[in-house]
Amino acid sequence: MPADFEHHNTLSRDKKHIAILGSTGSIGAQALEVISKNQDSFEVEVLTANKNADLLIRQAKKYKPNAVVIADEKWYKQVFEALDRLDIKVYAGENALISIVEMESIDIVLTALVGYAGLRPTIRAIEHGKQIALANKETLVIAGDLITRLAREKGVNIYPVDSEHSAIFQCLVGDFDNRIEKIILTASGGPFRGKRRAELLSVTADQALKHPNWNMGAKITIDSATMMNKGLEVIEAKWLFGLRKDQIEVVVHPQSIVHSMVQFEDGSIKAQLGLPDMRLPIQYALAYPKRLQSDFPRFSFTDYPELTFEKPDLDTFRNLALAYLALERGGNLPCILNAANEIAVDAFLQNKLGFLDISVVIERCCEALEFLPNPSFEDYVCTDSETRIKAKELIK
Ligand code: NDP
């Protein structure tokens, strides 16, 4: 683990001051809900969006952050005119998104951006000693070695927000010194669980966007339908918990009640359960080591007489198999996998690529790009952009 969770830094102030990168997204909005119900514990310092100026303005008027960033500079004027008179600083552009995390008043940065865009701000935040509540799993997939090394050097904890990794983290509390035999990541199986390849040939983005249990942003919803989300999570788990490939098992659990499990060396398995609700892992990541009271709906065993578990179908859902391969080879391969997936998912959402072709594009990119066993930060940046070019060529 990047730093010592049991000896978590005791922040001197009563309230934790939080920067939410991607506050207008699904995770960002739920984080604000958590914060508004726990105003004695949290204070909003920074909010950011890409293009959604209207929502960013509404959020800023309600939560009164110190500063906001709109990444797409086209919207700067609108945001500035709405917020400047309220004494809220307004910045725009990618560089502002990266440097805003340096603000001295920030204790925790919640990375709720989607995809590669989260990489640089996360690294900058760690460099400046900010604790990280990590939703943006793609950053750990792209450059997990670099990020976890840096976090250790800087004494920064990375608190998982992903529900599965939060579950594992919650199972580990009290057991940090005991060795993990393996973890068991649960997967809902998404909207196409049980389907065969022939049935998936012509599925549309609308069908793939209908997740049975979770209401999430578009990219992660498609990743759930292709099972790339679980693949990314397998790689994320390797870096967060320092595990080998053979220590990370995936089981399909359609009810999404058991969020994940840890098996220790004595064979004992600890699990964390609850209704599917991202507010809980968000709150846990922000409040750790405290558990704050909540009014989230409670799980009842009698409402769920059957909790079922099955093996994932790696032939139909190739992406999960590809992610395991990338994890095993390491180097820049997970970065290639991620970039190709981002382009392929985008093309699928625009009806320019078939559902099953998403994994074809990813596999071809993994074969075509140069493998670098020990990439530097610049290598990751280069790999990401070269993979995007290759993936776009393949999709044309
Ligand atoms: P959304 O698409 O709902 O939100 C993404 C946020 O990031 C928005 O605020 C968006 O701004 C902003 N953003 C997008 N692209 C850029 C960019 N290039 N530069 C700056 N800002 C950008 O995503 P989710 O909330 O669903 O997911 C966020 C992260 O959390 C992902 O990595 C996902 O895998 C992870 N996650 C999500 C879960 C969920 O339940 N949603 C569960 C577990 C993990 P704008 O609104 O202006 O477009």
Side-chain angles (χ1 to χ4, degrees):
M1 266 177 237
D4 186 347
F5 283 105
E6 290 201 283
H7 302 99
H8 173 76
N9 69 325
T10 42
L11 300 165
S12 51
R13 289 174 287 183
D14 294 343
K15 289 188 185 186
K16 292 183 183 177
H17 291 235
I18 298 170
I20 305 180
L21 307 186
S23 62
T24 50
S26 154
I27 293 287
Q30 293 179 84
L32 285 172
E33 243 186 85
V34 165
I35 290 171
S36 82
K37 295 222 164 134
N38 295 283
Q39 293 184 24
D40 294 344
S41 302
F42 307 122
E43 181 99 31
V44 179
E45 261 327 287
V46 171
L47 297 174
T48 84
N50 188 27
K51 298 176 191 308
N52 194 341
D54 288 340
L55 182 55
L56 182 66
I57 291 167
R58 282 204 304 281
Q59 290 179 338
K61 284 183 174 166
K62 180 163 179 198
Y63 293 97
K64 311 215 163 32
N66 216 319
V68 301
V69 179
I70 183 97
D72 186 336
E73 296 178 27
K74 204 166 69 192
W75 304 100
Y76 171 75
K77 191 164 171 277
Q78 184 188 339
V79 181
F80 178 80
E81 282 171 2
L83 300 181
D84 184 55
R85 61 198 152 81
L86 303 176
D87 206 21
I88 296 171
K89 294 180 208 77
V90 179
Y91 304 100
E94 199 191 329
N95 286 337
L97 182 67
I98 298 166
S99 50
I100 197 77
V101 297
E102 295 173 16
M103 261 172 59
E104 198 150 332
S105 50
I106 298 170
D107 298 313
I108 301 187
V109 175
L110 170 62
T111 64
L113 299 165
V114 67
Y116 180 84
L119 182 65
R120 288 177 204 261
T122 306
I123 290 178
R124 184 68 64 87
I126 298 172
E127 281 169 347
H128 285 262
K130 309 300 180 190
Q131 304 301 314
I132 304 289
L134 184 122
N136 179 226
K137 65 191 92 187
E138 293 92 338
T139 55
L140 274 192
V141 171
I142 296 164
D145 59 338
L146 204 143
I147 289 172
T148 50
R149 209 175 331 119
L150 187 63
R152 262 192 300 274
E153 263 169 47
K154 298 284 177 186
V156 161
N157 286 328
I158 300 178
Y159 301 103
V161 168
D162 229 343
S163 59
E164 295 78 357
H165 304 73
S166 173
I168 290 160
F169 180 42
Q170 293 181 55
C171 292
L172 289 176
V173 171
D175 268 309
F176 287 123
D177 294 332
N178 289 318
R179 218 174 280 169
I180 298 173
E181 194 163 86
K182 68 173 180 183
I183 62 164
I184 303 149
L185 283 179
T186 52
S188 69
F192 304 137
R193 182 178 64 89
K195 297 254 189 282
R196 293 305 166 101
R197 291 183 72 80
E199 297 169 88
L200 295 177
L201 275 171
S202 56
V203 294
T204 62
D206 282 347
Q207 289 169 301
L209 282 169
K210 291 197 177 82
H211 195 282
N213 303 341
W214 298 94
N215 186 6
M216 311 178 284
K219 195 254 176 186
I220 184 176
T221 307
I222 302 302
D223 283 347
S224 297
T226 65
M227 288 204 79
M228 179 53 95
N229 184 46
K230 213 46 55 180
L232 300 177
E233 286 178 12
V234 165
I235 302 173
E236 180 186 10
K238 168 197 161 100
W239 293 113
L240 278 175
F241 306 111
L243 301 170
R244 298 183 311 270
K245 179 186 165 205
D246 59 290
Q247 290 178 294
I248 309 170
E249 184 180 328
V250 171
V251 292
V252 174
H253 167 48
Q255 298 82 15
S256 297
I257 296 298
V258 178
H259 296 306
S260 278
M261 297 168 259
V262 179
Q263 181 171 315
F264 294 94
E265 280 191 311
D266 60 359
S268 174
I269 296 178
K270 278 167 89 173
Q272 187 261 337
L273 283 72
L275 291 171
D277 186 337
M278 282 310 296
R279 291 172 302 175
L280 180 67
I282 292 169
Q283 178 168 300
Y284 190 75
L286 296 179
Y288 181 84
K290 282 191 191 157
R291 282 191 185 273
L292 303 178
Q293 193 279 331
S294 88
D295 58 4
F296 309 147
R298 274 23 180 187
F299 169 70
S300 152
F301 277 93
T302 48
D303 291 343
Y304 287 79
E306 265 203 341
L307 295 180
T308 58
F309 302 90
E310 58 200 59
K311 265 193 173 173
D313 172 358
L314 298 191
D315 294 326
T316 305
F317 299 96
R318 286 278 304 141
N319 280 352
L320 181 54
L322 291 172
Y324 265 112
L325 273 174
L327 181 156
E328 189 170 27
R329 281 202 80 196
N332 63 341
L333 205 53
C335 176
I336 298 171
L337 177 100
N338 177 70
N341 182 56
E342 286 191 28
I343 296 297
V345 169
D346 198 42
F348 173 69
L349 282 168
Q350 295 176 48
N351 302 315
K352 291 181 182 160
L353 187 70
F355 183 78
L356 291 177
D357 291 330
I358 295 176
S359 41
V360 174
V361 169
I362 297 167
E363 192 161 14
R364 296 242 174 101
C365 284
C366 289
E367 288 160 3
L369 273 285
E370 187 191 355
F371 176 69
L372 305 171
N374 296 304
S376 63
F377 176 74
E378 288 70 29
D379 291 331
Y380 285 125
V381 173
C382 230
T383 298
D384 179 80
S385 66
E386 284 172 9
T387 306
R388 284 167 196 268
I389 293 167
K390 180 74 198 169
K392 283 179 188 162
E393 272 171 27
L394 290 167
I395 291 166
K396 255 190 214 153

